[in-house]
Structures are given as structure tokens and as C-alpha cells.
Amino acid sequence: MKHVAATLLDTAKGIVEYSYEGNGPTILLFKGGHCTRDTDLSHSSLIYEGYSLLTISRPGYDKTDRSTGPSTEVFADTVIEVLNHLGINKVSVIAVSAAGPTGIALAVHHPERVEKLIMESAVTAPWEAGSKRQAKMLFGPSERVFWRSVKTLLRVMPDMVIKQMLGALTTENVENFYDQLSPNDRRFIFDMLATAQSGKGFSLDINQGIPDMSKIQAPVLGMYSHKDKSVPYSQALLLQSTVPSCEIYDVKSDSHLIWIGRSAQNVWNKRLEFLKQ
């Protein structure tokens, strides 16, 4: 089994961090906003399903230089350089949340290298002005202070911090939603927050343009929740109406976090079904 963790590659545009492990067909994972090398939204288990998992940190995250992708089109070219370095011809791509435009760009600009594209609660439209202003305030120059404060409070008052964060992720009543979470679900959110860091990546995320999705040639699976406050379901409908070959799977989740809760196993099964088609 391959196991290459936190490797740095000096590309034409700068340093890119990636990890690569497992055997079998390669799945390329682009993690979402605020996610680091240590954030696992359950995708690492794909290696136990007979796949190789290649995780490439996007520009501004971990050790990947911003210069590798001032735009998603430029970063798509950088990703191809990584694939060439590893001798990988084609990949199935999973794009999570804010990484949606990155997955789209790779499929649009390098169709010959993308077998399938899975969009998981993934962004398909430009950020609204209000959301941009809030993001710049919290995750701009002071993002380290913000996350240091969050992680300190998380150790002392985890319930309070998790509820505060859930307010931005669900359209449901936060108290009711939290009460319904299992201990494993709460641990998932705790670990997600404990490993989060925006770096210089999220400030890039909120300003990325969306490539022309009508040019995507690969089959696309979009998995979205109607109760996602962070990425509205309208973005799922936009994806479905624009991409030539697209299936939207309605996740019966109460939040943006489709990887936990009563529908998590259905999400897992649907992902595997699509990959094996």
C-alpha cells in the first residue's frame, strides 16, 4: 500500500503539499474551506474500499503556496503537474464545500484527466457580498487569532463553541439540532474545528470565479442538503441545470455537514455506487 504523507513538490508555480496512499484507482480529494492536512471528513476510509486517495492542499492551505493558484484555472494546471509527477493518468475528483470551483476548473480545463466529479456540499456560485465582508473580517489577517481563540474555548466549553459554529451551517434550530447529534457526531465536529485553519487560503476561496460548468464532460454527482445554510440548495439546482451529465442526490441531512447524522451512511453508499459505475 502506498503511504506518502505531507510531501512537498516544487512546481512551476511554487510549492504544493500533497499526500497519497492506498491501492487501486486514484481519487483526488480537494478539501473545503478551513480544512488542513489533519482534517478528515471520513474520506480517508476510501483507501479501505480499494482506492488510492490523493489529497492535494489547495493554495494558501497547509504548505501550498498561494502562487500555485491565484485562480482555479492556474491551480488546475498545477494539479496536472502533480499528477504527471506521480504518473497518474486519470482521477475521479471529490470537491468539498469551498473547493467546488477547484473541482469544476480541473474538469473544465483538463477533461481528459477527470474520470468523474463528486461535489459534496460544494460551492457552484460566487459568494454574496455580505458573506465576503464577514469572511474578510474573521479570516483575513486576524485568522490566526480567531482560530486560536476558538480552539482554546473548544477545550473549555466545547458545547458552546460547536453550537456557535453550527449556527452558520444549519437552517434548523441549533439547540434542537445539537441535541439530536450522537456522541460520534459531536466528536466529528470537535475534531473538524480542532484541526481547522484558514491560512491564506480562505481569502482566495471567497474571491474565486466559477468556470463555465456547461463545459464539464465528466459525469457529475452532487450531494446537497436542503437545510444547508452555508451552501444553499439553489447551488445544487444550478449545478444540475448547467452540467450536461449531472445527478443530484438529496441528502436528508440537517446541515452542511452531510458526513454525519442519520444520512451519513447513505452518503457513503451513494459515493461508492457512483465511483463504481
Side-chain angles (χ1 to χ4, degrees):
M1 178 180 287
K2 295 183 293 291
H3 182 74
V4 182
T7 297
L8 304 182
L9 179 66
D10 190 2
T11 72
K13 296 291 184 179
I15 297 295
V16 172
E17 179 176 324
Y18 71 89
S19 64
Y20 190 31
E21 55 187 323
N23 290 316
T26 300
I27 297 173
L28 170 56
L29 173 65
F30 294 124
K31 296 181 183 180
H34 317 297
C35 293
T36 68
R37 69 178 71 86
D38 298 317
T39 307
D40 182 14
L41 303 181
S42 76
H43 297 95
S44 63
S45 294
L46 285 164
I47 64 174
Y48 303 110
E49 297 288 344
Y51 295 96
S52 296
L53 185 64
L54 171 62
T55 305
I56 300 180
S57 298
R58 297 185 297 113
Y61 289 102
D62 298 321
K63 297 293 185 181
T64 298
D65 292 336
R66 283 170 56 102
S67 59
T68 60
S71 70
T72 54
E73 180 178 357
V74 171
F75 189 58
D77 293 340
T78 300
V79 169
I80 294 302
E81 193 171 340
V82 177
L83 297 183
N84 290 343
H85 170 75
L86 294 172
I88 301 172
N89 183 38
K90 297 192 83 167
V91 293
S92 290
V93 179
I94 296 177
V96 176
S97 192
T102 304
I104 294 168
L106 188 63
V108 167
H109 297 292
H110 299 280
E112 74 287 353
R113 307 299 288 269
V114 177
E115 190 83 38
K116 297 175 181 178
L117 172 61
I118 303 177
M119 301 279 281
E120 301 188 1
S121 298
V123 170
T124 65
W127 289 66
E128 295 179 353
S131 298
K132 281 188 177 183
R133 284 194 298 271
Q134 185 179 34
K136 287 177 181 177
M137 181 176 65
L138 294 176
F139 309 115
S142 61
E143 64 90 23
R144 286 186 177 276
V145 175
F146 173 82
W147 283 114
R148 192 180 304 123
S149 300
V150 168
K151 292 172 187 180
T152 299
L153 288 171
L154 190 63
R155 290 192 294 270
V156 181
M157 295 179 287
D159 293 347
M160 184 201 76
V161 174
I162 291 173
K163 289 177 185 178
Q164 187 71 27
M165 291 297 174
L166 287 175
L169 301 177
T170 179
T171 60
E172 293 286 274
N173 176 277
V174 171
E175 290 288 341
N176 293 341
F177 176 51
Y178 186 77
D179 289 343
Q180 293 171 9
L181 292 174
S182 71
N184 284 341
D185 291 339
R186 294 181 187 184
R187 171 48 86 181
F188 179 100
I189 300 172
F190 181 97
D191 291 344
M192 182 184 73
L193 294 174
T195 59
Q197 196 71 49
S198 308
K200 296 179 179 178
F202 199 66
S203 60
L204 279 177
D205 288 347
I206 61 175
N207 291 305
Q208 294 290 14
I210 310 295
D212 185 354
M213 294 188 291
S214 68
K215 295 182 179 179
I216 296 177
Q217 298 178 21
V220 175
L221 169 65
M223 297 198 286
Y224 293 84
S225 166
H226 282 271
K227 297 180 180 180
D228 186 343
K229 189 175 180 179
S230 177
V231 179
Y233 192 79
S234 58
Q235 298 199 27
L237 298 178
L238 178 62
L239 181 70
Q240 185 179 41
S241 64
T242 309
V243 175
S245 178
C246 178
E247 175 187 0
I248 296 298
Y249 180 66
D250 288 347
V251 182
K252 305 305 180 185
S253 169
D254 290 328
S255 76
H256 181 69
L257 305 176
I258 62 173
W259 311 277
I260 62 173
R262 63 184 186 275
S263 293
Q265 187 61 48
N266 293 335
V267 168
W268 182 256
N269 292 340
K270 184 63 181 180
R271 184 193 297 124
L272 290 179
E273 175 190 308
F274 181 74
L275 289 170
K276 292 174 180 176
Q277 285 176 354

